[in-house]
Amino acid sequence: MSRSDDELVRDALDHIDVLKRHLARGDLADETIADAVSLRLAFAIEAVSETGSEFRERHFGDDWKIIWATRNRIAHGYAYIDLAMIRDTVENDLPEFERVLRVALT
């Protein structure tokens, strides 16, 4: 059974909400919080990646390639995740990513 775009967007937003709760407990200087935030960010992007290509094109356009590359850097970073990249993404890109997802549900 395939899941609808709305279900997948809700999953992504759930991951973002958990990511924010992790950040409320401390910052990325804490290794455990950094790992948790990184994984939740990757999971949120992964959920959106399962939406239809039309959804991703309509809501993210050419930015999707950059968003997916961020997920790949986290997922394939193995022993090293660039915390500066995670911090920059969370502070500068995540608010717009979340906004677009919330608008898509309306």
Side-chain angles (χ1 to χ4, degrees), residues 15-26:
H15 287 296
I16 292 169
D17 288 342
V18 174
L19 178 158
K20 289 178 176 180
R21 287 196 302 270
H22 292 316
L23 285 171
R25 298 182 73 189

Side-chain angles (χ1 to χ4, degrees), residues 27-84:
D27 63 28
L28 295 176
D30 180 314
E31 185 177 77
T32 302
I33 291 173
D35 283 349
V37 166
S38 297
L39 290 175
R40 288 299 180 154
L41 178 59
F43 293 156
I45 296 168
E46 184 76 29
V48 174
S49 79
E50 295 176 20
T51 62
S53 59
E54 301 84 18
F55 175 91
R56 293 187 309 275
E57 178 62 31
R58 181 172 60 252
H59 294 287
F60 298 105
D62 291 337
D63 289 341
W64 179 250
K65 292 176 187 174
I66 297 165
I67 295 166
W68 186 245
T70 299
R71 178 263 177 205
N72 285 341
R73 278 183 251 141
I74 296 167
H76 301 295
Y78 304 107
Y80 175 75
I81 295 176
D82 182 355
L83 289 183

